[in-house]
Amino acid sequence: MIKFILFFLTLFSISRLLLAQAPPLILVDGKKFYEIGLNIDILEDPTGKLTIDDINSPKWASKFKRCKDKVPNFGFSKSTFWARVKIKNKTSDQRVWVLSQNYNRQNYVTLYKKVNESWESFSTGDLTPFKTREIQGREFSFKIKPKENTLYFIRIKGSYSKLHLTISSLQSLMQKKTIDNLISGLFFGLVISVALYNLFIFLSTKSLSYLFYILYVVFWGIFLFIKQGLSQRFLAPDSLWISNKGIVFFGAFGLFFLVLFTISFLRLKESTPKLYRGCQCLAFLYFLLITGSFIFAYTLSAKLFMFTTSFLGIPLITFCGIYRVKMDYRPAKYFLFAFSSVFLGGIVAILMTFGLLPTNILTNQAISIGVALELTILSMGLADRFNLIQEENLKLQKNYAKDLESEVDQKTKKIKSLVENLGQGFMVMDKKGIILEGATQITKDFFSIDSVGKNLSRVLKLDEEKTDTFNKWIQNVYRGILPFKDLEMLGPQSFNLDNRHIDLNYRPIYVEGSKRKIDKVICIATDKTQEINLEKQLELDKQQAFFIKNCLQNPVEFIDLMDDTYDLLEHYPRTKNNENGGLFRHFHTLKARYGQFGVKDLTYYLNEVETALSKKKLDSLDSKVNHFKRELEEFVKENRLIIEAANKFMIDDGTAVEVSEILKVLGRLKTKHRKNPAPAIGEAFSYFYENSYLKDIKSKFDRYRYLINELAEKQGKGIDLSIGGDEIKVDINKYSSFINSSIHLFRNMVDHGIETEEERIEKTKPQRGRIKVDFNNNGDTFMIQMVDDGGGIDPERIKNKVPEAGLKSEEDLKELKESDIVDLIFLPGFSTKEEVTDVSGRGVGMDAVREEVERLGGSISVTSKIDEGTTFMIQLPVLS
């Protein structure tokens, strides 16, 4: 009885073991293809360290489990999987067969077969170069030649693992490849055709919907190309990145443009702002996935991509389509139907990837089938959307045409009313300058004439010469040879009548279709009277403020200027026929000094006097001087209070001495010399002479700081003035003419010497120029050194100018040294200026300075270097 039980248990164990193992695959004549999923045993190796010898040992061989699926799907796993298959070859021809792993994105695939009683391995996979494949194709195939009873092992490993094993004859494999290539060619041919077709439409319509759709088709097509294992065969055989991480990169890029296409195609921004913002967020997530494909491991990137697509992308885009369908947006029906097919295919592929659906031809090609339907339906949807836009535009055009006439009438009335209230006159001229109908009413007020039907020259009351110039101008305008903008400024620019100032501007109306040929010209008249009067008053106020400030800051200089003016006018009748140039220099210096105080009205009349003197028009000189006298009298009346204030301020400056101060000093001296008061008078005189009468000449040059700053600002220059050196007390009255004439030195340094800030930067100089005045006391004499760091004096320029002015001949200049040539700037009438300005150009200033220096018994010299600067050395006696 016991033996019977033991025999039964042994028989049960053997039968159980036999049932746990997969049946061998039997190859027979007449059959060329076998699915072997149910004929394999599988062993999972979590460590990935088992070798072929390990799994053939009794310990591990017994752990193989029979496979229950035709295509076992292990999903994302870090384990290594072994498959064992026994083959019994019952065929008569003993041909070569092909064992294939048909999951084309398996990272590592190794076949083990016995050769001469030892196991040999043959490895490949999509993380190995394409050339490692024994038979070139998208699947991993190995040639085998099984005998009557042969055992094979297949080892796979990867981020995602799936076993889809088949055995087929070489002929059958080639036939399958031909069919697969045909299907793939048709599918990707459809993708390319759709992309090109929509590209042409995009180039015609410039619609962003077509652009986003094209980019979606291209990137999604590349994604499918990689997914079907074609990238290593046709796209990039040696690129392992494309066949792995590339699937997330291109897939995310495709869905990124799909989201943008959804926004544009369904008009989400205009119709549903919330869905629009949701899609923007989704597009941003896909953009992060694109970036992440370069950073994260493939397993993480793939999981994130699948999660985003399955739980966010597909639901949101589908909801957008459903929502727009409910809003009766017709193209949304095509959108929903198209993406339902591709989303369904995507869901099937994802479920197959996670092992929730079996792998077969339908699940394997689910995305391709869905995409093919999607491309076809969406192309129809884009066409329908274009038709809808045209229908909407046609409806708008009909409505617009219906209301256009009344709207134009209303707008015309509004525009006419608006133009009339602009305060501007509008006149349209033909090619003869005749004003056409439609001129605004305000032009009658501007020109005191009805302008319609009249030539613009008559409206503007031009004289004969200006009328002729106007007619030539209008003819050239209508010829269209030169651009209108170049001719516009040549037309009449203003009209003045009864203290009224009208500005004139012109605008062309071109012939339709032309950018040069003019049909009409509009004259725009603008009353600028009030604006100009305000500007004039503002300028007068600024001048007055400038004068008051300078006068009160420099009362002594101003009172001296007034005294010198009256003195010059008193001596004028006796000196006007003197031809030695002294009168000219005096008036020139006087003009510069008044300019220093900003009295432009007086400088204008002084300039008129200068002109008469320079041209020796003595017959008109008296009238010019009389004009100046009248203007001077008016100036004194208007500024009487300022002049009186300047006189009072002289006391604070120390030029005048208060009586109380005199009494205090005399009282102290009287007490000191009670017995003999005579010495008190001498000491008092000496005290007041030294402390009140004698002044440091250096302090008198401070008056020129504001002048330099004003001139520099007008000329776009930045200049720093420094005055320093020894204290030199002198009788200022004896030096007043020299001090006054020194204004010409400072003006010339600013006008001729210091460059503009831009020029100094180009010369690598400091941006701001520098003028330095230094006083040196030598006892009986003192030296004034005036230095600027400007452009210097060019001797060659002096050589050219002196003969032009008739001051010396070219022969005389040949014998002079360079230093002597520079010294010629002191010649009367010499100037390098091309035209006379209120600053320089008369050729009198430097001559006046030298005359005053020599009158005091001193000397002046000049040295200069180009681009380094100029130095004036003035030596004067100490006069007290």
Side-chain angles (χ1 to χ4, degrees), residues 71 73 162 164 227 344-353 356-369:
V71 181
N73 192 337
K162 179 169 66 172
H164 184 192
K227 185 179 180 301
L344 182 61
I347 291 171
V348 170
I350 291 170
L351 293 175
M352 178 193 69
T353 301
L356 301 176
L357 286 179
T359 302
N360 52 48
I361 190 169
L362 287 176
T363 57
N364 220 16
Q365 298 293 332
I367 292 181
S368 299
I369 296 170

Side-chain angles (χ1 to χ4, degrees), residues 707-719 746-759 833 837-840:
L707 170 71
I708 289 173
N709 291 336
E710 182 195 18
L711 293 177
E713 183 178 352
K714 286 182 179 179
Q715 299 181 27
K717 302 176 180 179
I719 302 176
F746 288 107
R747 281 180 175 265
N748 276 273
M749 284 182 168
V750 175
D751 195 37
H752 294 283
I754 304 296
E755 309 94 331
T756 63
E757 294 183 3
E758 291 78 7
E759 290 172 335
K833 277 284 188 180
T837 68
D838 63 344
V839 177
S840 59

Side-chain angles (χ1 to χ4, degrees), residues 16-184:
R16 185 182 176 187
L17 182 62
L18 291 173
L19 289 172
Q21 293 181 349
L25 176 66
I26 301 173
L27 305 179
V28 297
D29 290 329
K31 191 172 181 179
K32 300 178 180 179
F33 178 80
Y34 298 89
E35 289 274 3
I36 64 171
L38 298 176
N39 297 96
I40 61 174
D41 298 317
I42 297 174
L43 172 65
E44 181 177 1
D45 174 15
T47 65
K49 296 181 179 180
L50 295 180
T51 64
I52 186 65
D53 295 326
D54 291 334
I55 63 169
N56 277 298
S57 66
K59 176 182 176 181
W60 294 102
S62 62
K63 293 185 179 181
F64 274 88
K65 295 180 181 179
R66 180 177 178 178
C67 181
K68 298 179 180 180
D69 301 311
K70 286 185 178 180
V71 181
N73 192 337
F74 309 110
F76 290 102
S77 175
K78 296 181 180 180
S79 298
T80 300
F81 296 91
W82 293 80
R84 181 178 63 193
V85 59
K86 294 178 181 177
I87 300 177
K88 291 186 177 182
N89 192 350
K90 300 293 186 178
T91 60
S92 57
D93 53 5
Q94 296 293 311
R95 72 183 76 170
V96 174
W97 293 81
V98 179
L99 174 61
S100 300
Q101 156 66 322
N102 294 282
Y103 175 54
N104 51 60
R105 290 190 295 113
Q106 188 67 55
N107 294 155
Y108 301 100
V109 181
T110 305
L111 172 69
Y112 293 91
K113 59 182 179 180
K114 273 195 173 182
V115 178
N116 297 326
E117 299 302 321
S118 64
W119 292 102
E120 289 191 6
S121 62
F122 303 87
S123 298
T124 184
D126 73 343
L127 283 182
T128 59
F130 187 74
K131 60 186 178 182
T132 62
R133 303 186 187 188
E134 188 175 4
I135 299 177
Q136 293 190 347
R138 57 180 176 177
E139 60 281 309
F140 308 108
S141 299
F142 306 92
K143 293 180 181 179
I144 60 173
K145 197 170 183 180
K147 297 180 180 179
E148 186 175 350
N149 197 356
T150 308
L151 183 65
Y152 295 97
F153 288 93
I154 298 93
R155 179 180 182 269
I156 63 170
K157 181 177 176 59
S159 302
Y160 183 90
S161 295
K162 179 169 66 172
L163 271 172
H164 184 192
L165 299 176
T166 60
I167 291 179
S168 59
S169 65
L170 277 172
Q171 182 183 3
S172 174
L173 180 65
M174 292 302 107
Q175 289 175 349
K176 180 178 179 296
K177 282 181 178 293
T178 302
I179 295 171
D180 287 346
N181 290 337
L182 177 61
I183 294 172
S184 297

